[in-house]
Amino acid sequence: MGNKNGSSETLSNETITLLMQKTGMPKYEVELWYKAISSRSSKGKLSKKQMISIYKDMSDLDSTRISDVVDALEKVFDEDNSGSVDVNEFMRGFILTTKGDLKSKIDYTFRLYDENNDNKISGEEIKKMANAVTRMLGADETGSDEACCAIIHQFLKQFTGNHNGVIHRHDFIETVMRNRELLFVLSPFYGID
């Protein structure tokens, strides 16, 4: 998705179209966001520190929640797996997680937890998800095993399509769309407008 020459000096038509469709934003507003974000980039690329700064300065996201997902955020936004996030990639991720429709926010939430990109959350990924949730709810850095086990059990009960402790992408999206409490607990992006 990033440019082949390694930089993103212009806003791609693909990004403009996607953001207009998923957010209802007019083209000029998308272009204004692009100017604001690209002015903070280094040669069309954004470091993890720059991404976090943009979230803190340009969104309503609770800064303590974004800190919990900073590593995953960089991986998820790097759509072409180049090892860096270009401005177009960041624009898509940032705008969809802050101004996107509910389904876009839930999809990004799923992608945060699906570390190996196999379209399912299983085993160790579920445990990491539970640990992240307990930290977002105020537990210490390690979280307690008892609290994590309880959260894992609750998660799996919610997802009717889970098989052998696996949560598939489509089931995650459908279940979380129907359960706003679950969305609030799982997603660092919920409630951002």
Side-chain angles (χ1 to χ4, degrees):
M1 297 268 173
N3 282 347
K4 292 178 180 151
N5 67 8
S7 74
S8 284
E9 296 178 15
T10 62
L11 182 61
S12 74
N13 287 331
E14 174 189 13
T15 298
I16 293 170
T17 301
L18 174 73
L19 295 178
M20 288 173 60
Q21 289 173 347
K22 296 282 186 176
T23 66
M25 293 169 66
K27 184 177 180 180
Y28 75 88
E29 189 174 347
V30 172
E31 291 170 341
L32 286 175
W33 278 97
Y34 173 77
K35 286 178 185 175
I37 290 170
S38 66
S39 70
R40 294 172 161 227
S41 73
S42 303
K43 298 179 183 175
K45 304 287 183 186
L46 291 159
S47 69
K48 190 183 311 182
K49 186 176 180 179
Q50 288 168 319
M51 289 187 280
I52 296 306
S53 175
I54 291 169
Y55 263 100
K56 286 180 178 178
D57 295 345
M58 299 174 74
S59 80
D60 294 333
L61 183 64
D62 178 356
S63 63
T64 60
R65 293 189 96 183
I66 196 62
S67 297
D68 288 327
V69 295
V70 64
D71 292 327
L73 190 64
E74 186 174 37
K75 177 188 76 76
V76 170
F77 286 3
D78 181 14
E79 296 170 351
D80 63 1
N81 299 311
S82 66
S84 63
V85 178
D86 69 39
V87 175
N88 276 283
E89 289 171 324
F90 184 79
M91 277 286 295
R92 288 188 290 273
F94 177 75
I95 298 295
L96 291 177
T97 58
T98 57
K99 300 195 174 300
D101 59 17
L102 183 58
K103 189 172 183 177
S104 295
K105 290 179 182 185
I106 295 170
D107 183 60
Y108 268 95
T109 299
F110 178 88
R111 291 169 58 189
L112 286 174
Y113 297 123
D114 179 20
E115 291 182 339
N116 63 2
N117 298 320
D118 64 355
N119 286 318
K120 59 186 175 191
I121 304 170
S122 59
E124 197 59 33
E125 291 170 329
I126 291 173
K127 186 171 182 178
K128 286 180 182 179
M129 179 172 63
N131 280 324
V133 169
T134 57
R135 283 194 311 276
M136 284 191 279
L137 294 175
D140 64 14
E141 189 64 27
T142 59
S144 78
D145 285 339
E146 189 175 304
C148 289
C149 287
I151 288 174
I152 290 169
H153 183 68
Q154 280 300 109
F155 285 161
L156 294 177
K157 281 178 34 180
Q158 293 289 319
F159 297 98
T160 56
N162 84 74
H163 303 283
N164 301 322
V166 173
I167 303 169
H168 295 274
R169 181 184 215 130
H170 66 275
D171 190 46
F172 181 91
I173 292 171
E174 288 176 21
T175 301
V176 174
M177 283 191 72
R178 288 190 312 263
N179 187 332
R180 298 294 170 103
E181 290 174 359
L182 190 59
L183 176 62
F184 178 77
V185 170
L186 290 175
S187 179
F189 309 122
Y190 183 66
I192 304 173
D193 292 319

